[in-house]
Amino acid sequence: MQAPSFGGVKIPSGNGQVIRLPRGASLSDFGDRIDVNPASLVQVMMHLGEMVTATQSLPDETLLLLGEELKYRIEVVSPEDEDRELLESFSIEFGEDDGGEEDLFPRPPVVTVMGHVDHGKTRLLDAIRNTNVVSGEAGGITQHIGAYQVATEVDGEERKITFIDTPGHEAFTAMRARGAQATDIAVLVVAADDGVKPQTAEAIDHAKAADVPIVVAVNKIDVEGADPQKVRAQLTEYGLVAEEYGGDVQFVDISAKQGINIDGLLEAVVLTSDAALDLRANPNQDAQGLAIEAFLDRGRGSTATVLVQRGTLRVGDSIVCGDAYGRVRAMLDENGSNVEVAEPSRPVQVLGLTNVPSAGDNFLVVKDDRVARQIAQQREARERFAQQARSSRRVTMENWQKTLEEGERNELLLLIKGDMSGSVEALEESLLKIDAGGDEVSIRVIGRGVGAITQNDINLAASAEAIIIGFNVRPEGKNSELADRMGVDIRYYSVIYQAIDEVEAAVKGLLKPIYEEVQLGSAEIREIFRVPRIGNIAGSIVRDGVIRRNAKARLIRDGVVISDNLTVESLRRFKEDATEVRDGFECGIGVGYNDIRVEDVIETYEMREKPRD
Ligand code: GDP
C-alpha cells in the first residue's frame, strides 16, 4: 500500500492496527509505538491545522484525529482503566463485592460535612466527636486520623456513622476527580444567621453531581437573629425541600457550639441512609477501600488512614495502597487504640507500608507480599513514565514571566512535595484555582508526593522545567546542591497562603524577590548534651559548608522541617567558643530548641539580597 504523504512527509499506513495510548500521551509517545520520528508527526499535525510540539500531552480528540489520518485505530486508555487492567492481570477485581446477595451485610454510612466557610463545619465535626452518644466515652476521640466513627441510638438500636474529618467539598471533589468516592451522605451546614452563600450552592452541586443524598444541618440557632425557617425557604430554590414542607430532605436545627441537637442530626443521617440508600458490603472477603490521609512519621514510618469499603482488614494482611505496599503491622483507631480487624465503613490508621500513599489512592488486600510488591512497582513505574512524558523544559519562578512574554510557554509547571498528603492536596487544589489571567496562562501540577525532595523529584523538575514547591519539607542529603547544579528552582513554604500568593504573583508577573536564601552549611547531630539552664546542645559533625555563630538555622528530621527560624546561639569546639566550624569537624551547637534528636540535621543559611532578573 502506498504511503500517504503529508506535505512531503511519508508515513506508512497503519492499516487499521490498534494502538493503545495512555491518556495525555504525546506525539513522541505515539511515534515510539509506531516507530515513526515524532518530528514527522509534528508535521502531520501541522498539515491537519494544529500546532503541537512533540512532547506536549494531547487531548483524546487530537490523538484520535491523528490516528484516523494515519489509519491507526487509537484506543485512549484512562489511568483508571489501566489500573483495572493491571489488577485484572493478577485476577483481582477492585470495587466489586464478592459473592451474592446473601453475602452482603449492612454497613454504616460514610459522611462528609460541607458548606460555606465559617458556617461551622469544623466546629460540628468537633461536637460530633465529643458526642459519642452510645459508648459515652466523653471526649473519647483523641487522635486526628482523617476520619472517625461514632455510634448513636436510633429506635433502641446502636447505629454507627463514619465521618470524614476534613470539612469542605475540596477533598470530596479531589477524590472524585480520581475516580474514588468515599462519601455516602453529605451533611450540608448552613448558618441560620447567614443563610445560603456561594459555597453552600457549590456544595449542593457537588453532592448532586455525585448522587449523594443531603442532610441539612441548620447551625448557629443560638445566635441572635438566627432564622432557621428562612434557610429552609432559601434551599427550596436549590431543590432541597424539607420534610415538613412535603419534601424528602431532613433539616435539623443545631448549635455546634453549644452542642444542641447533635444527636438529632446523627439520627437524621441514619434515617436518610435507611430511606435513600441500601448500604451493604461483604465483610467476608479480602478488604478493599481508599486512603483518606497519609503522612510519614519518624518513629512509625508511613502512616496511612484507610477507609475499608468492603471486606475485613486484618493485622498481618498484605496490602497495596497506590504505589505503596506492605504487610499491615498494626492498626489504630481514632482513640489511638490498637484494633485487630476493621470491617466495612471503618476508618483505621495502618502502619507498615513501604512509603506514603496519596489521599484517594485505592487499597486492597492481596494474596501475598510478592503480589503486593509487583502491583505497587508497576504503578510506580507507570506514574514515573507518565511524569516523564509530561516533561519538557526549564524555568524559575522569576524568569517564568519573561519566558511567557517571549511567547515560549503558557504553562507554569509545578511539582509539589509536602509533609502530609492532606496538605499537598489542599495546596494543589488551591494553586490550581489561581486565576492566572484568562486562558492564555495556566498552572499545571506535574507531580506531587509526601516526604523529602528526592533526586528523582529534581530530575523530573529539571527535565520538565518545573518549579518544586516544598511544603514543610527539604531536599534529602545533598539534593539541594544537585538542584542548584541542574538549575531547578525550589521554593520552600510552611504556610499555604504564602505559597499561593507567590505563585499568583509569579503568574501575574508581579514577583519581586528581594531576598534569597543562601545555604551556609549543615551539620548532623551525633549526640545530645543536656546543659543545665541552657538546654540541649547538639554534638554534631559539620557535613558541608560552614556553621557560623548567629546564622539562621532550621532543624530537619528525615527531610521534614521540624523547626524553622532558629539561630545558632552557641557554637563550641572542644569547650572553646568558636565563630565558625568547617566541613568535617565536630562541634557543639545550641539553637535554642530542645526537641533535637540524634541524626537530625541542622541546616544554616542567611538571607541575601537578590537582584531582579
Ligand atoms: P467552618 O469554616 O465552616 O469550618 O467554620 P468553623 O467551624 O470554623 O466556625 C466558624 C465560627 O463560627 C467559629 O468561630 C465557631 O466558633 C462559630 N460557630 C460554629 N458553630 C456555631 C454555633 O452553633 N453557634 C455559634 N454561636 N457559633 C458557632
Side-chain angles (χ1 to χ4, degrees), residues 250-264:
Q250 304 251 354
F251 279 66
V252 188
D253 295 343
I254 62 163
S255 164
K257 192 172 178 180
Q258 307 205 341
I260 299 171
N261 206 16
I262 303 299
D263 41 354

Side-chain angles (χ1 to χ4, degrees), residues 328-587:
V328 178
R329 184 154 40 92
M331 296 195 289
L332 301 172
D333 65 10
E334 57 277 61
N335 299 309
S337 315
N338 275 293
V339 288
E340 290 295 316
V341 294
E343 295 184 326
S345 296
R346 178 86 259 222
V348 274
Q349 214 171 40
V350 168
L351 308 184
L353 288 172
T354 45
N355 57 350
V356 184
S358 308
D361 278 345
N362 62 34
F363 90 82
L364 53 145
V365 169
V366 295
K367 190 164 96 245
D368 54 39
D369 295 356
R370 199 179 47 88
V371 173
R373 193 180 63 238
Q374 284 176 355
I375 295 174
Q377 283 173 348
Q378 290 194 37
R379 282 176 170 171
E380 198 262 335
R382 194 176 60 213
E383 177 62 15
R384 196 161 8 101
F385 174 77
Q387 287 194 343
Q388 279 160 5
R390 277 173 278 185
S391 329
S392 59
R393 299 171 305 165
R394 178 171 308 187
V395 76
T396 71
M397 203 105 111
E398 283 82 19
N399 74 18
W400 182 76
Q401 181 68 18
K402 217 162 80 192
T403 24
L404 176 69
E405 278 154 18
E406 287 159 1
E408 281 184 27
R409 58 191 302 140
N410 55 4
E411 269 188 330
L412 176 61
L413 303 186
L414 302 174
L415 195 153
I416 306 177
K417 290 299 288 265
D419 54 342
M420 307 239 307
S421 57
S423 48
V424 170
E425 258 141 57
L427 187 57
E428 175 172 2
E429 187 82 21
S430 314
L431 288 172
L432 292 178
K433 272 198 204 137
I434 291 177
D435 179 6
D439 288 332
E440 298 111 69
V441 186
S442 61
I443 293 171
R444 189 148 62 89
V445 175
I446 60 159
R448 65 196 66 67
V450 173
I453 297 165
T454 63
Q455 200 169 334
N456 192 33
D457 295 331
I458 292 169
N459 287 335
L460 172 63
S463 60
E465 289 184 68
I467 291 165
I468 300 182
I469 305 274
F471 190 73
N472 281 329
V473 291
R474 317 291 304 168
E476 241 169 31
K478 302 228 166 204
N479 283 347
S480 83
E481 289 161 34
L482 175 72
D484 270 354
R485 249 196 339 270
M486 299 187 67
V488 172
D489 191 12
I490 307 184
R491 298 277 160 158
Y492 305 104
Y493 302 97
S494 50
V495 186
I496 287 190
Y497 75 80
Q498 254 173 14
I500 297 167
D501 279 359
E502 245 188 75
V503 172
E504 188 164 10
V507 174
K508 293 185 172 156
L510 302 172
L511 193 64
K512 305 210 174 13
I514 307 167
Y515 286 98
E516 162 180 63
E517 182 181 315
V518 179
Q519 304 288 329
L520 294 176
S522 67
E524 185 187 317
I525 304 185
R526 291 288 198 70
E527 212 176 324
I528 315 278
F529 302 101
R530 292 174 220 292
V531 182
R533 281 186 305 280
I534 294 182
N536 288 347
I537 296 294
S540 317
I541 175 153
V542 182
R543 284 296 182 205
D544 58 25
V546 52
I547 302 293
R548 225 173 256 151
R549 183 193 292 263
N550 296 328
K552 283 175 161 297
R554 59 171 68 91
L555 186 74
I556 294 153
R557 190 168 297 158
D558 288 338
V560 172
V561 179
I562 300 297
S563 182
D564 211 345
N565 256 327
L566 302 172
T567 306
V568 178
E569 291 173 355
S570 69
L571 186 65
R572 291 194 139 199
R573 226 181 113 57
F574 303 120
K575 306 207 151 88
E576 295 291 319
D577 279 339
T579 43
E580 59 172 56
V581 178
R582 307 216 142 257
D583 194 358
F585 292 96
E586 292 181 339
C587 57

Side-chain angles (χ1 to χ4, degrees), residues 116-123 219-220 222-223 255-257:
H116 196 71
V117 63
D118 276 347
H119 279 197
K121 300 179 291 294
T122 312
R123 196 70 194 240
N219 191 29
K220 305 201 187 184
D222 57 310
V223 176
S255 164
K257 192 172 178 180

Side-chain angles (χ1 to χ4, degrees), residues 78-362:
S78 70
E80 293 80 33
D81 286 344
E82 257 185 300
D83 202 54
R84 194 167 308 123
E85 285 168 21
L86 168 64
L87 295 181
E88 269 166 19
S89 70
F90 289 90
S91 309
I92 298 168
E93 241 179 289
F94 184 85
E96 302 284 334
D97 282 283
D98 289 344
E101 274 292 302
E102 69 283 1
D103 299 308
L104 298 176
F105 292 87
R107 65 167 179 85
V110 180
V111 178
T112 297
V113 175
M114 305 195 209
H116 196 71
V117 63
D118 276 347
H119 279 197
K121 300 179 291 294
T122 312
R123 196 70 194 240
L124 175 60
L125 281 163
D126 288 346
I128 297 169
R129 222 184 269 131
N130 296 329
T131 327
N132 200 349
V133 186
V134 169
S135 73
E137 285 181 56
I141 297 176
T142 46
Q143 306 261 103
H144 170 89
I145 66 166
Y148 61 78
Q149 199 168 58
V150 293
T152 187
E153 212 175 276
V154 179
D155 295 336
E157 211 186 312
E158 183 187 280
R159 304 288 299 268
K160 289 180 175 149
I161 306 173
T162 300
F163 281 88
I164 305 281
D165 205 359
T166 318
H169 53 255
E170 283 80 5
F172 175 81
T173 36
M175 281 219 191
R176 265 187 26 95
R178 305 193 47 201
Q181 183 155 332
T183 304
D184 300 309
I185 292 181
V187 165
L188 180 68
V189 179
V190 188
D193 59 342
D194 203 23
V196 173
K197 286 280 171 279
Q199 285 162 13
T200 317
E202 254 176 68
I204 296 172
D205 289 346
H206 287 301
K208 284 193 171 160
D211 212 8
V212 166
I214 294 173
V215 171
V216 182
V218 183
N219 191 29
K220 305 201 187 184
I221 53 163
D222 57 310
V223 176
E224 217 182 279
D227 190 351
Q229 293 311 319
K230 189 168 152 207
V231 173
R232 286 171 173 70
Q234 284 180 325
L235 282 176
T236 54
E237 287 172 34
Y238 296 84
L240 299 180
V241 184
E243 277 191 332
E244 56 264 45
Y245 295 135
D248 58 358
V249 179
Q250 304 251 354
F251 279 66
V252 188
D253 295 343
I254 62 163
S255 164
K257 192 172 178 180
Q258 307 205 341
I260 299 171
N261 206 16
I262 303 299
D263 41 354
L265 178 65
L266 297 182
E267 183 177 355
V269 168
V270 170
L271 295 178
T272 300
S273 163
D274 288 350
L277 304 166
D278 176 26
L279 300 176
R280 292 186 298 163
N282 178 4
N284 301 311
Q285 66 170 76
D286 287 339
Q288 296 186 343
L290 295 173
I292 292 187
E293 187 175 286
F295 63 97
L296 195 60
D297 181 285
R298 180 181 161 88
R300 299 189 296 189
S302 164
T303 306
T305 298
V306 302
L307 174 71
V308 178
Q309 293 182 303
R310 58 198 78 82
T312 298
L313 185 62
R314 295 186 165 80
V315 171
D317 281 346
S318 296
I319 71 170
V320 201
C321 187
D323 62 5
Y325 68 95
R327 180 92 56 101
V328 178
R329 184 154 40 92
M331 296 195 289
L332 301 172
D333 65 10
E334 57 277 61
N335 299 309
S337 315
N338 275 293
V339 288
E340 290 295 316
V341 294
E343 295 184 326
S345 296
R346 178 86 259 222
V348 274
Q349 214 171 40
V350 168
L351 308 184
L353 288 172
T354 45
N355 57 350
V356 184
S358 308
D361 278 345
N362 62 34

